Amino acid sequence: VYRRFDGDVGWMIRSSFKHISPTMWFAYISNKNNEKVHNQAKRKVLSSILAGHIIKSGEGYAGAMDTYLRRVFQNTKSVTVEDIHMLAENFSENEIMDIKSSPWGYCILKKRNQFRAKCAIDGIPQRHNASPKYCMGCTNHLTTSDNINEILINIGNDLKAISTPNIPKSYFFESYKTVRSALVLLKDLKADKEIIDMISRKL
């Protein structure tokens, strides 16, 4: 359930249980018993994603976290599936603070250099502010080919903005940066060529 289909599980759970505000959601996951189960689920998902990345040699993944993982695991060859899962679990425990899913991918928050997170304020990541403009170019972002449609949906307004005549420069540049970051991801994920060409023309 936490993975859903590599989408935003928080939204799904809040919807299913009719949580009308983020406060209700946080009250649910902050319960000590639920929090333990929630953290165990996150660790399992994280290990599974990392193991999948190793097994596929990064094929079908994109984002700055993908680049980082390729570098870390580049010498991991000729090992058993059990060894890969153990490696992923150990790496997750030692190097990764937390995971958060969104429609456009995962925020895999590294324990080190958290001040580099694009959503950080005063060096502290503010992941509740997750949005394509912060996430897609962030050092903690990992996405998969399953997220292509959601990436396209979530940059829709930005695509409109950069095509709108006489839009204020500040709005234009914010949207331009978001679309440019999305285009890099879509190319890495081998999205449909027509889509890539259409976005490229707008830039």
Side-chain angles (χ1 to χ4, degrees):
V1 171
Y2 190 84
R3 288 192 67 152
R4 193 173 170 227
F5 39 88
D6 293 339
D8 182 1
V9 72
W11 173 86
M12 187 183 76
I13 293 174
R14 288 194 296 273
S15 242
S16 299
F17 291 97
K18 308 296 184 243
H19 294 165
I20 57 172
S21 72
T23 308
M24 289 180 72
W25 163 244
F26 285 121
Y28 171 75
I29 63 169
S30 296
N31 172 286
K32 291 202 183 303
N33 291 330
N34 289 332
E35 187 178 11
K36 185 178 178 184
V37 171
H38 187 61
N39 287 335
Q40 286 173 340
K42 285 201 287 188
R43 281 291 161 196
K44 278 188 177 181
V45 169
L46 188 47
S47 293
S48 169
I49 291 168
L50 294 174
H53 190 281
I54 297 167
I55 290 165
K56 295 176 183 175
S57 300
E59 187 67 30
Y61 293 81
M65 177 57 75
D66 168 52
T67 305
Y68 173 72
L69 293 175
R70 284 174 190 264
R71 193 170 66 246
V72 168
F73 297 131
Q74 66 183 341
N75 294 321
T76 306
K77 295 184 177 75
S78 303
V79 291
T80 66
V81 173
E82 290 78 13
D83 289 339
I84 286 172
H85 283 283
M86 184 65 73
L87 175 64
E89 200 169 316
N90 289 339
F91 182 81
S92 165
E93 284 292 332
N94 296 327
E95 301 294 333
I96 307 298
M97 175 71 74
D98 197 14
I99 181 172
K100 181 181 187 299
S101 60
S102 70
W104 46 86
Y106 293 101
C107 173
I108 298 181
L109 185 63
K110 297 193 288 286
K111 289 182 178 178
R112 291 177 256 191
N113 300 327
Q114 291 187 31
F115 67 92
R116 293 187 188 279
K118 281 206 163 187
C119 64
I121 297 175
D122 295 328
I124 301 168
Q126 309 291 318
R127 298 191 311 149
H128 56 279
N129 292 331
S131 73
K133 76 174 183 177
Y134 292 129
C135 302
M136 288 188 192
C138 181
T139 183
N140 299 304
H141 186 242
L142 180 71
T143 191
T144 73
S145 49
D146 290 334
N147 295 108
I148 289 174
N149 288 339
E150 291 290 349
I151 290 171
L152 292 170
I153 289 166
N154 280 279
I155 63 167
N157 287 336
D158 295 295
L159 284 168
K160 285 180 192 170
I162 62 175
S163 303
T164 302
N166 304 319
I167 190 170
K169 283 187 177 180
S170 58
Y171 292 121
F172 174 84
F173 285 121
E174 278 297 313
S175 291
Y176 181 87
K177 284 191 291 186
T178 301
V179 172
R180 191 177 59 190
S181 295
L183 182 59
V184 170
L185 296 175
L186 292 167
K187 284 180 177 177
D188 287 346
L189 294 171
K190 298 180 174 55
D192 188 280
K193 187 178 182 304
E194 286 183 23
I195 291 170
I196 289 173
D197 289 345
M198 177 272 292
I199 296 172
S200 298
R201 282 194 299 273
K202 289 182 181 289
L203 292 173

